[in-house]
Amino acid sequence: MQTMGMPRSAVAGLVVAGVLAAAAGADDAPIRRNERERARHALNRLAFGPRPDDVERVAAMGTANWIERQLHPNGIADAAVDAQLSDLSTLRMSSAELVARFETPILQARRQLRAERTADAGGGETADAERLRDLLPPENRPRRILEEMTQARLIRAVSSERQLNEVMVDFWMNHFNVDARKGLDRIFIATFERDTVRPRIWGRFEDLLLATAKSPAMLVYLDNARSAADAEHRPPPFGRFRAASPAKGPTGLNENYARELLELHTLGVDGGYTQQDVTELARVLTGWSIALPRAAGRPGPGGRFAAPEAEPGSFLFRERLHDVGTKTVLGHRFGPNGGMEEGEAAIRLLARHPATARHLADELCRRLVADEPPPALVDRVAARFLATGGDLTETVRAIVTSPEFFDPPSYRAKIKSPFEYAVSAVRAVGGSTDGRALGREVAEMGEPLYLCQPPTGYSDASGAWINSGALVARLNFALALTSGRIPGTVVDGRALPLARGAGSIEAGAVRLVGASVSAETAKTIARRLDGPENASDVAAATELLAGLLLGSPDFQRR
Amino acid sequence: MSGCDRRLFLKSTGIALVAGGFLPKVFVRMASAAETRTSRRVLVVIFQRGAVDGLNVLVPYGESDYYAARPTIAVPRPGSSGRPALDLDGFFGLHPSLAALVPYFHDGSAAFVHAVGSPDATRSHFDAQDFMESGTPGTRTTRDGFLARALAATPEAKPSPLRAVAISPAMPRILAGSSGAVAMRTLEGFGLRGGGDREGTAGTFEAMYDDAVAGTLRATARESFDALRVLKSSDPSGLPPENGAVYPRGPLGAALRQIAQLIRAGVGLEVAFTDVGGWDTHAGEGGSDGQLANRLRDFGDAIAAFARDLGSRMADVTLVTLSEFGRTARENGNRGTDHGHANVMLLLGGGVRGGRVYGRWPGLAPDRLYEGRDLAVTTDFRDVFAEVLASRMGVADLSAVFPGYPCDPRRRPGILV
C-alpha cells in the first residue's frame, strides 16, 4: 500500500450532491474565477498539469508573472529534484567515462568471443548472444543508461519547479529525435540530452541546430558519420593520407542526415528544396564524423582514420572524407575546398531561413496552442523568430503571451500524450516517482522514451494518441496509480478526494480534473462507489473514485 | 556460411517444404467450395516501415546491371556458391532468408508484384507512408486511410466491433477514420485490470465516456468497450497455434499469431493490419547474410508460420505486404542503399493466382532508372489493392476508396481469381 494518510473508517451510502457551479463556491468573483482558469490552462500547457495547490498559487501570483518566471528556468531553484537525481550516476558521467564503462567492455567481450569462436566452430547466433551477455558484467550493460535517463526525465517532469523547461526539453528532444537503439546511440543519447540539447533550448536556434549536427548521437542516428565524398571528389593523396587503405571505411555519400536536416529539423517538407539540394547538402557535410571507441590495448586504425587528437566518441571532422568540390544548396555556392566551415555556414543558412522560421513556429504552436493553430499567430511567431535572430526564449514568449494562447476555446483542446498523461496524473495526486515502473507504464501506453524509431519523432497531434488499446492502457494506469500499484511511485493520500458524503464526487472532479462532472456521470460513479465492496471501505472507495476521475475523458485533455 | 546459418536455413526450409506439400492444395479445395463457405473473408495487410530493399528481396538475378550496381551487397545467382538467390521463374530469385515462402510460390498460393509503388516522387519516409496509407499520393489533406474507406464502402447491418483490428501501439494511418477499427498492442493486454469488480468499473468508465462530448475520445471509448466484451466472450488469446506452426520470436511473429487467433475465434474480423520496422538499411545492409538477411528471415518465417497455422482457413484469408518505397539500385558508400522508388509486394492466400511474378519489369540499365538512380514504378500500388478490395472484400465502388484515381480494371495485374 503506497498511499499515505488514508482514513480507514467505515462509511456507507454515498450521496450525490447537486452539481456546483465552480470549485470555490457561488461567492466566487468572476475575475478571480477567470484568473484561476488562466492559471489552470497555463499549468496544463506550460507545465505537466497542476499539483494540488498549484492553481491557487499561480492565480495568486498572477499567471503572467508565473509564465515570465518559467521563461527563465535558471533563476528557479530546484534542489529537491537535484537531490533525487543524485542516485542516477550515469547522468553525471563524461562522454569518455560512458564509453569506458559501457562500450569498451563490449568491444573486449566481442574480442574474447571471436577468439573463442575461432577455437571452437560450434554454437550459433543465439549462443553467441548469450555468451556475450555472460561476458558482460551487469554494471557495464548500456541498458542502464537508457533506464536512468528515462527515470530522470520522469522525475524532472513530475517534480521539477522548472516545468516549462521540461516541456520544452520534451519538445526539442522530439524535434531532434534520436532512437537510442541505433548502434552507439545507446551511449551517445546521454550526452545528447545533457550536453547538446538542454543547455541550448533557450538560446539561439542556430546554436542548437549546429550542436545537434555535431553531436555523436545525431551523426550516428542519421548515418552522417559514415558519409564520405565520392572518389572523384576526395582530396588528393599526400602526406599521411598516402598510406590509407582503400578497403577500409566509408566510400561514398549517405544522404540520410541531409534529407532529415532539411525536412524535419529546418525547412519542413514543403520548404522548397529539391532532391538535388539534398544530395549537394550531403556532400557539404561529408567528413562530419565521430572518433570511434576502441577495445583497450588495441591499436587505433592508421591511415585516414588516424585521429589521436580526438577522444573516443566525440565529434571528428575527417578531412580525408570531405568532398573538396563545389556544391550548390538552395542557390548558395559552397566550396571548393571549403572544409568543415562550409558545413557550418550551410547549417547557419538553414537555421536563418524563413521556411525554417515558419516550420518551427507552426510546430511550437501545435504543441502549445492547438492542433490547427491560428495562421495569424504562426505568422507573428515566425516573424519574431526572424527578428530576434532565432532567439528561442523570445519565440516561445511570443506564443505564451499571445491572446490566442489564452483564447478559451483552446482550453483542453489538446489530448495528452502518454508521457503528459502519466506525469500529469502523478502530479494531480501530489505524487512523486523514481521513474522506474512509471517509465514502463508510459511505454505501455505507446510512448517509450528515447525509443522512437522514425526520425519524425512522436506525433504532436491529438488524434495520434487515442486508439482502443492505448485508451484501455490509460484506464488501467489510472486505476493502478491511485491504488498504489505502481512501484516507486507514491501517491499522497491526502490529495485524493475523500469518497465520503454529499458532494464528494463533484468536489473531487473539480479538484483532480479541474472540471465539473455532469449529474448523469456523478450518479454513475456514485452507484459504482456504493457497490458492496466499497460501501464499507472508504479507503478503497476513495482510491477508486480518484482512479475513475483520472481515467475520465476530461483528464485525457490538457 | 557459418554453421549456425546453415542449420537455421535447413530447418526453416524443412518446415516450409512440409507445409508447402500440404497446405496450398487445401487452399484450392476450399476455394472451389466457396459457395458453402460460412466464414468471412479476411484481408491481412503488413506494412514494412522504413522502405525494404525490394531488389534484394526479389532479386532480378537475370540482369547483369543488378550485379554491376551492387558490388558488395548483391545476392548471388541461383547455383552459385554460398547462399544464392532461390530461383522462382528463371529471371527472379527470392532472397535465401525467405526460403520458407518458396513452396507457397511454387504451389501457386503466393505471388509477387515487382516494380510496384506510389507514383509520387517523395523520398521522405513520413510522406511516402502517409501517401500510401491515405491512398492519395501527393495529397496531404486526406483525413482517413484507404482501408478505412474500403470498410465504409462495404457497410454491414451489425458490424462486429472487431471487424478491423490493428496489432499496433497506435492506430495506423491506413485505418484512421470512421471505420470503427480498433488498435491494440496485444490481445492479452487488452483488458481492464484493477478497480475491484471489473465489470462494474468498466461499466462506470463506459458511462463516463458515453457522457463526454462527441469526438475521438467518445467514439474510441465506445469501440473499445464493445471490443472488450467480444474478446472476453470469445477469448481468442487462449488458442494455441495449429498444424505445428511455430512463429518466430519477435513482434511480427507475435502480431500474426494474434491475428490468426482472431480469425480462428470467429470474432468477425475482416481487415487486420500490422507493421514491422527495421528496413532502413543505409549502412551495412549485407547481401545473402547480414542485417537485411536477418530481418527477412524473421519476416518470411512469420508469414509462413501464419499460413501453416491457419491451414485450410487460408482459403478465406488474403495476405498483402507493402512498403513506402524501394531503395537505390546502386549501393551507397556504406554498403547500404538510400531511399529509392519502386518496390516489391507479396500476395499470399485465398484467391491469389500464385506462382508468378507480376508487373512489367523496367530494367536496371542506367538509362532505365527513375531519376537515374531508382527502379521505376510500372504498377501503381492502388491497382493491386483495387483488385484485392474488389475481388476479396466485394468493394463495388473504388472511386470512394481511391478518390481522384481512375481505377481502370484493365490496368489491374490480374493476380486474383
Side-chain angles (χ1 to χ4, degrees):
Chain A
M1 183 68 191
Q2 303 225 358
T3 50
M4 306 179 291
M6 183 79 72
R8 280 209 167 258
S9 61
V11 289
L14 288 159
V15 185
V16 189
V19 177
L20 299 177
D27 62 334
D28 197 26
I31 291 172
R32 287 185 42 216
R33 195 164 65 224
N34 186 40
E35 186 58 25
R36 268 204 304 276
E37 282 296 300
R38 285 164 58 89
R40 184 176 285 282
H41 178 62
L43 285 158
N44 273 334
R45 294 295 175 85
L46 311 181
F48 288 97
R51 288 169 301 185
D53 299 318
D54 278 351
V55 173
E56 292 301 325
R57 193 172 57 83
V58 171
M61 75 185 279
T63 307
N65 294 331
W66 179 81
I67 290 176
E68 193 51 39
R69 245 165 77 77
Q70 289 292 319
L71 283 167
H72 301 283
N74 287 337
I76 304 173
D78 219 9
V81 162
D82 293 343
Q84 220 190 332
L85 296 177
S86 64
D87 291 343
L88 307 174
S89 59
T90 63
L91 294 186
R92 292 183 305 278
M93 289 181 190
S94 70
S95 179
E97 276 178 278
L98 289 166
V99 167
R101 185 187 281 244
F102 296 107
E103 181 58 17
T104 313
I106 293 184
L107 296 172
Q108 266 149 357
R110 284 208 190 115
R111 271 178 89 194
Q112 189 177 337
L113 190 68
R114 268 198 299 278
E116 287 173 11
R117 300 282 285 116
T118 330
D120 160 33
E125 260 173 54
T126 321
D128 279 3
E130 278 165 17
R131 180 76 187 118
L132 200 59
R133 254 199 310 279
D134 292 344
L135 287 171
L136 202 62
E139 66 272 19
N140 295 118
R141 290 183 190 153
R143 192 153 183 87
R144 212 182 109 201
I145 298 174
L146 178 65
E147 284 165 0
E148 293 198 356
M149 287 186 71
T150 303
Q151 286 182 262
R153 270 287 278 287
L154 282 158
I155 289 169
R156 284 173 159 139
V158 167
S159 299
S160 175
E161 298 299 327
R162 301 166 184 166
Q163 282 284 297
L164 180 55
N165 188 60
E166 292 309 307
V167 168
M168 296 316 295
V169 165
D170 188 43
F171 173 87
W172 288 112
M173 286 296 288
N174 201 50
H175 180 84
F176 292 110
N177 181 55
V178 165
D179 180 352
R181 284 167 297 200
K182 173 117 175 200
L184 282 170
D185 280 344
R186 60 181 174 258
I187 312 263
F188 298 154
I189 190 74
T191 48
F192 184 66
E193 176 172 327
R194 184 188 64 197
D195 303 336
T196 305
V197 175
R198 281 187 177 268
R200 292 179 181 83
I201 60 175
W202 299 107
R204 290 196 312 164
F205 177 68
E206 67 182 73
D207 297 333
L208 174 60
L209 181 69
L210 192 56
T212 62
K214 288 186 174 176
S215 69
M218 194 61 78
L219 288 162
V220 167
Y221 177 54
L222 293 176
D223 299 313
N224 205 75
R226 320 179 65 149
S227 182
D230 294 327
E232 60 191 294
H233 294 123
R234 295 283 178 91
F238 67 91
R240 65 188 172 95
F241 294 147
R242 199 188 299 275
S245 144
K248 279 211 157 185
T251 56
L253 207 58
N254 191 311
E255 63 188 36
N256 198 13
Y257 175 61
R259 179 184 308 285
E260 308 305 4
L261 175 57
L262 291 167
E263 176 185 332
L264 301 173
H265 299 172
T266 61
L267 305 184
V269 72
D270 298 317
Y273 60 91
T274 64
Q275 172 62 39
Q276 184 72 11
D277 288 320
V278 172
T279 306
E280 301 270 301
L281 180 59
R283 290 177 58 203
V284 167
L285 293 170
T286 45
W288 288 44
S289 185
I290 56 164
L292 286 172
R294 294 187 295 270
R298 194 172 153 229
R304 71 175 96 134
F305 289 104
E309 71 278 9
E311 198 173 76
S314 63
F315 174 77
L316 174 64
F317 179 67
R318 296 182 188 274
E319 196 181 343
R320 186 68 188 93
L321 301 183
H322 184 66
D323 188 320
V324 296
T326 56
K327 314 100 183 167
T328 306
V329 178
L330 302 172
H332 293 257
R333 203 175 127 110
F334 295 91
N337 300 310
M340 183 172 74
E341 288 71 23
E342 70 177 21
E344 293 172 341
I347 284 173
R348 292 194 188 280
L349 170 79
L350 292 172
R352 296 169 189 170
H353 198 284
T356 300
R358 169 113 209 138
H359 180 213
L360 291 178
D362 187 65
E363 221 179 68
L364 283 162
C365 289
R366 275 171 204 276
R367 167 78 188 214
L368 298 173
V369 182
D371 283 337
E372 298 294 338
L377 175 66
V378 176
D379 288 346
R380 287 204 320 275
V381 172
R384 188 76 186 134
F385 177 89
L386 290 173
T388 59
D391 185 312
L392 295 175
T393 304
E394 291 309 309
T395 305
V396 172
R397 190 202 304 278
I399 299 171
V400 300
T401 57
S402 70
E404 289 93 336
F405 178 78
F406 284 108
D407 193 19
S410 77
Y411 291 10
R412 298 179 188 286
K414 294 275 292 185
I415 290 175
K416 293 170 182 172
S417 73
F419 179 64
E420 291 165 340
Y421 176 65
V423 172
S424 64
V426 176
R427 284 173 62 82
V429 293
S432 63
T433 186
D434 70 4
R436 209 183 277 268
L438 191 62
R440 289 192 289 274
E441 293 284 337
V442 173
E444 183 61 34
M445 291 185 270
E447 192 183 5
L449 301 181
Y450 308 106
L451 298 175
C452 178
Q453 193 255 326
T456 47
Y458 290 117
S459 172
D460 210 2
S462 294
W465 295 114
I466 292 303
N467 62 72
S468 305
L471 186 60
V472 171
R474 286 181 186 221
L475 304 184
N476 283 329
F477 168 76
L479 296 171
L481 174 69
T482 57
S483 58
R485 283 186 288 114
I486 298 177
T489 297
V490 182
V491 169
D492 181 356
R494 289 161 304 187
L496 302 186
L498 196 61
R500 180 164 53 183
S504 68
I505 292 166
E506 172 62 15
V510 170
R511 190 147 126 225
L512 277 192
V513 185
S516 290
V517 290
S518 75
E520 203 51 43
T521 298
K523 259 188 233 156
T524 311
I525 296 176
R527 266 200 304 278
R528 177 73 192 94
L529 296 181
D530 269 338
E533 83 276 26
N534 294 312
S536 59
D537 185 347
V538 74
T542 296
E543 287 171 10
L544 181 58
L545 173 59
L548 290 168
L549 290 171
L550 293 184
S552 72
D554 275 321
F555 199 76
Q556 308 303 327
R557 300 178 170 278
R558 63 174 168 101
Chain B
M1 189 192 324
S2 74
C4 150
D5 285 339
R6 189 188 309 277
R7 266 206 310 281
L8 270 177
F9 172 66
L10 291 173
K11 203 171 112 200
S12 57
T13 313
I15 289 171
L17 284 172
V18 172
F22 166 64
L23 293 175
K25 290 197 178 75
V26 179
F27 295 1
V28 176
R29 184 161 53 77
M30 287 298 290
S32 64
E35 301 88 305
T36 57
R37 185 176 57 89
T38 51
S39 55
R40 289 160 196 269
R41 284 179 170 178
V42 184
L43 171 62
V44 179
V45 176
I46 303 174
F47 204 115
Q48 294 172 279
R49 296 199 191 276
V52 66
D53 182 12
L55 290 172
N56 268 18
V57 171
L58 186 55
V59 179
Y61 72 81
E63 180 151 1
S64 61
D65 287 308
Y66 167 77
Y67 292 97
R70 300 183 162 209
T72 72
I73 62 162
V75 179
R77 293 181 179 86
S80 310
S81 60
R83 298 200 330 128
L86 309 167
D87 185 35
L88 293 188
D89 64 357
F91 182 85
F92 290 111
L94 211 52
H95 190 286
S97 290
L98 294 174
L101 298 178
V102 171
Y104 293 98
F105 182 87
H106 288 310
D107 265 21
S109 47
F112 292 92
V113 191
H114 220 323
V116 64
S118 160
D120 192 87
T122 183
R123 291 189 182 87
S124 151
H125 290 298
F126 182 79
D127 268 358
Q129 290 178 21
D130 193 66
F131 288 160
M132 262 193 181
E133 296 185 69
S134 71
T136 56
T139 304
R140 286 203 193 89
T141 50
T142 312
R143 299 194 85 87
D144 45 11
F146 81 81
L147 284 182
R149 293 196 298 275
L151 286 157
T154 52
E156 297 204 352
K158 279 187 72 183
S160 161
L162 293 169
R163 189 179 180 210
V165 173
I167 303 290
S168 170
M171 180 61 74
R173 183 78 166 83
I174 202 167
L175 279 168
S178 51
S179 63
V182 298
M184 56 185 85
R185 276 154 59 100
T186 62
L187 295 179
E188 294 88 344
F190 192 70
L192 216 54
R193 288 179 293 275
D197 164 28
R198 281 175 208 182
E199 306 278 299
T201 301
T204 309
F205 273 130
E206 190 170 3
M208 286 167 75
Y209 276 83
D210 261 347
D211 199 30
V213 289
T216 319
L217 275 170
R218 192 170 79 175
T220 304
R222 191 167 289 167
E223 288 153 15
S224 307
F225 290 111
D226 287 347
L228 281 171
R229 271 189 288 275
V230 174
L231 280 182
K232 195 170 162 18
S233 61
S234 58
D235 193 23
S237 65
L239 299 172
E242 286 179 356
N243 305 318
V246 179
Y247 288 91
R249 286 195 294 184
L252 182 63
L256 290 177
R257 179 176 53 76
Q258 294 175 79
I259 290 169
Q261 287 171 333
L262 288 173
I263 292 170
R264 290 201 277 115
V267 297
L269 184 73
E270 288 177 61
V271 171
F273 176 91
T274 192
D275 48 18
V276 55
W279 308 105
D280 198 13
T281 47
H282 283 281
E285 175 176 328
S288 299
D289 295 293
Q291 198 190 137
L292 179 64
N294 294 336
R295 303 293 302 126
L296 288 176
R297 181 178 303 121
D298 175 72
F299 184 73
D301 287 358
I303 291 172
F306 176 76
R308 184 176 174 84
D309 181 3
L310 287 178
S312 60
R313 288 176 205 257
M314 272 305 281
D316 293 320
V317 178
T318 309
L319 181 147
V320 183
T321 71
L322 78 165
S323 189
E324 66 264 33
F325 43 67
R327 309 192 68 85
T328 46
R330 283 182 282 274
E331 67 181 69
N332 64 17
N334 307 134
R335 304 181 178 201
T337 46
D338 291 320
H339 301 180
H341 199 45
N343 213 332
V344 66
M345 289 171 72
L346 161 71
L347 290 92
L348 168 75
V352 176
R353 295 201 297 194
R356 271 187 62 190
V357 176
Y358 291 83
R360 187 173 65 75
W361 179 245
L364 292 176
D367 62 328
R368 307 305 309 265
L369 294 177
Y370 176 74
E371 294 184 348
R373 49 180 268 164
D374 307 325
L375 181 65
V377 170
T378 59
T379 301
D380 192 306
F381 77 99
R382 287 171 294 185
D383 286 318
V384 178
F385 272 101
E387 197 177 333
V388 171
L389 297 175
S391 97
R392 299 302 293 176
M393 281 182 68
V395 177
D397 179 14
L398 285 156
S399 66
V401 178
F402 297 116
Y405 185 65
C407 285
D408 184 346
R410 282 169 302 186
R411 254 201 326 265
R412 291 179 195 164
I415 305 171
L416 289 146
V417 181

